């Protein structure tokens, strides 16, 4: 069912290779500026697809399936590229790793629970976690576009750590629910 919300969700997935290409060269400030603009558009579509689906009454199974995948693909790709180009380095790689590992673990847990026909709805805290991840990575991309403005990178790294903490909290919440069904 290709509704406008689903097309917006798919556009996020399809745009990730272009985003990756723009982030590939760490000293290409114009590329990072374009990446930041694209990333902002993708972030807006993340909000807009869900809003439109609910407002138009076109919430679909495809959309419910694709939306978290689109978020995870975008976040994981940006994290991997920012680590590769050393925009995230040193101890900050731990925060990035926590985010990636939680996303993989929760995806596996959701798949396992789906086999048991147990649905685990996304919590409001998990939505805030995703928002904070998107803001943190956006700030780190913007820092690459504006290398002379050091505080942007500092804000991005601080937000990345906050996102990592929320990632652990929400991951624990999902694990706690999942463990009830593993006995």
């Amino acid at each position: 069912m290709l509704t406008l919300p689903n097309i917006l969700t798919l556009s996020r997935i399809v745009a990730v290779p272009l985003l990756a290409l723009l982030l590939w060269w760490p000293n290409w400030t114009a590329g990072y500026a374009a990446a930041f603009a694209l990333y902002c558009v993708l972030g807006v579509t993340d909000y807009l697809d869900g809003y439109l689906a609910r407002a138009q009454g076109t919430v679909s199974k495809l959309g419910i399936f694709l939306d978290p995948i689109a978020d995870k693909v975008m976040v994981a790709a940006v994290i991997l590229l920012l680590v590769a180009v050393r925009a995230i380095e040193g101890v900050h790689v731990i925060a990035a790793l926590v985010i990636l590992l939680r996303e993989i673990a929760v995806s596996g847990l959701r798949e396992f629970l789906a086999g048991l026909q147990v649905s685990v709805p996304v919590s409001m805290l998990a939505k805030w976690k995703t928002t904070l991840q998107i803001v943190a990575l956006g700030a780190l991309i913007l820092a690459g576009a504006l290398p002379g403005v050091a505080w942007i990178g500092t804000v991005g790294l601080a937000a990345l750590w906050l996102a990592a903490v929320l990632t652990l909290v929400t991951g624990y919440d999902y694990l706690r629910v999942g463990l009830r069904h593993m006995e």
Side-chain angles (χ1 to χ4, degrees):
M1 164 183 271
L2 282 184
T3 61
L4 178 58
N6 288 345
I7 291 169
L8 290 173
T9 301
L10 284 168
S11 73
R12 288 204 321 272
I13 296 169
V14 170
V16 167
L18 176 58
L19 184 61
L21 183 66
L22 292 169
L23 294 173
W24 192 258
W25 295 278
N27 296 322
W28 186 31
T29 57
Y32 271 68
F36 179 72
L38 176 59
Y39 188 79
C40 288
V41 169
L42 298 178
V44 169
T45 65
D46 184 29
Y47 168 77
L48 201 55
D49 60 9
Y51 173 79
L52 288 174
R54 287 184 296 277
Q56 297 173 347
T58 58
V59 174
S60 68
K61 290 180 182 178
L62 179 63
I64 292 168
F65 168 72
L66 285 178
D67 187 63
I69 291 172
D71 293 343
K72 288 170 182 35
V73 165
M74 186 174 76
V75 166
V78 171
I79 285 175
L80 287 172
L81 279 154
L82 292 178
V83 168
V85 300
R86 300 195 181 278
I88 299 173
E89 63 181 348
V91 70
H92 305 295
V93 172
I94 293 170
L97 191 58
V98 163
I99 291 168
L100 289 176
L101 292 176
R102 181 268 190 201
E103 297 303 344
I104 292 167
V106 168
S107 294
L109 179 62
R110 283 180 176 276
E111 185 176 334
F112 170 77
L113 292 174
L116 300 175
Q117 297 185 346
V118 174
S119 175
V120 183
V122 176
S123 69
M124 187 53 71
L125 191 59
K127 289 181 187 243
W128 280 106
K129 178 259 323 164
T130 300
T131 300
L132 195 52
Q133 286 175 356
I134 289 171
V135 168
L137 297 175
L140 292 170
I141 293 169
L142 183 59
L146 303 170
V149 188
W151 66 267
I152 297 172
T154 302
V155 167
L157 291 172
L160 186 71
W161 278 101
L162 287 173
V165 168
L166 281 182
T167 295
L168 286 173
V169 170
T170 59
Y172 174 75
D173 287 345
Y174 285 121
L175 181 61
R176 196 179 67 228
V177 169
L179 286 175
R180 289 187 216 144
H181 299 281
M182 292 184 189
E183 297 175 356

